[in-house]
Amino acid sequence: MKIALFGPPGAGKGTQSRLISDKFSIPSISMGDLLRAEVRKGTVLGKEAKTFMDGGQLVPDSVVIGMLRDRLQGGDCDGGFILDGFPRAISQASVLDEFVKLDAVINLSVADRFLIPRITERRMCPCGTAYHLIFNPPITPGICDDCGQKLYQRDDDTKETVLKRLEVYSKQTKPVLEFYREKGVLREIDGNKSIACIRRALIEILNSLPR
Ligand code: AMP
């Protein structure tokens, strides 16, 4: 099962990707997480990537494509994987298509007006769990329910950067939908529904895929 979750920033790709990863025992591969890990390690690549990430821009293909190729070679991807945040440009989709044929690309569509508050009120745990201060707050403010670590706000979840990320999404990323529509693998889910509802819809789609 080789799938990609698609959608604008704040659509819930990360949350759903992790839930589906648990359910189907396949890795969830978040390009954003891979990049943030490089930033934390302070590598040359991480330093280069951070400039783009903080500006709400896409990190160049020359960086992300190589990282994805390496990650997919991990033995844990043999039984399938879920991509979260890749591809984000037609150029990335074309290269990916040369070495992986995706079984489904699932678009979580969310109206623009909901995205900004979804992102600016988001708080993250280092373990990867995401919270929303209003719709999905932790039991103890500022602390992760799952592991007890302190929550933080991502550097690029500020209103200014979010506006840029949404612009980049509509100019560079959204056209990728047509690429997969033409290949007949694009599926749609209403991303305005609850986390549980979206999870159910995703599971239904994944169970309907030929194995
Ligand atoms: P995300 O965690 O998916 O919201 O991604 C955070 C940031 O990482 C994005 O705003 C980009 O700067 C960068 N990024 C993530 N995925 C990609 C990609 N496929 N291509 C280029 N940049 C990416």
Side-chain angles (χ1 to χ4, degrees):
M1 195 189 286
K2 297 172 190 143
I3 64 163
L5 289 191
F6 198 90
K13 301 185 294 295
T15 299
Q16 293 298 337
S17 181
R18 287 164 58 84
L19 292 173
I20 293 303
S21 163
D22 284 350
K23 164 89 184 160
F24 290 91
S25 304
I26 50 175
S28 152
I29 301 176
S30 156
M31 182 49 70
D33 283 351
L34 292 177
L35 290 165
R36 281 184 287 277
E38 292 296 321
V39 173
R40 273 196 303 277
K41 282 189 266 172
T43 60
V44 174
L45 191 152
K47 282 183 186 137
E48 186 192 348
K50 187 163 168 50
T51 323
F52 293 95
M53 294 166 85
D54 286 351
Q57 302 282 356
L58 294 186
V59 175
D61 287 357
S62 55
V63 173
V64 293
I65 291 173
M67 282 176 74
L68 185 78
R69 266 185 200 275
D70 289 350
R71 180 62 188 87
L72 292 182
Q73 272 160 15
D76 60 337
C77 295
D78 292 349
F81 51 80
I82 309 158
L83 297 182
D84 157 16
F86 196 99
R88 258 177 154 114
I90 293 280
S91 52
Q92 295 177 8
S94 308
V95 176
L96 178 67
D97 196 58
E98 284 167 18
F99 64 97
V100 169
K101 298 287 177 226
L102 294 176
D103 300 308
V105 173
I106 303 161
N107 180 35
L108 305 180
S109 51
V110 178
D112 275 3
R113 65 181 185 286
F114 297 127
L115 293 171
I116 296 175
R118 272 196 188 200
I119 304 173
T120 54
E121 305 295 297
R122 175 162 71 182
R123 296 295 180 271
M124 303 298 303
C125 177
C127 77
T129 306
Y131 295 87
H132 187 279
L133 293 181
I134 296 156
F135 303 123
N136 178 33
I139 297 166
T140 308
I143 301 294
C144 179
D145 297 346
D146 293 343
C147 71
Q149 291 188 81
K150 215 170 147 209
L151 304 183
Y152 67 96
Q153 184 172 26
R154 270 172 47 175
D155 288 347
D156 59 347
D157 277 354
T158 58
K159 184 152 183 211
E160 193 195 9
T161 311
V162 169
L163 288 172
K164 188 71 211 169
R165 286 162 67 196
L166 291 175
E167 189 189 319
V168 166
Y169 173 78
S170 81
K171 286 200 184 129
Q172 293 175 259
T173 307
K174 213 170 171 191
V176 174
L177 284 175
E178 276 320 303
F179 180 95
Y180 289 111
R181 201 187 308 277
E182 280 167 19
K183 299 209 172 284
V185 294
L186 182 66
R187 310 293 292 264
E188 299 273 356
I189 290 184
D190 179 356
N192 296 300
K193 297 260 163 56
S194 69
I195 291 176
C197 228
I198 297 170
R199 178 177 178 268
R200 270 197 302 277
L202 263 170
I203 291 173
E204 212 168 286
I205 291 177
L206 299 186
N207 279 334
S208 74
L209 295 176
R211 303 227 179 150

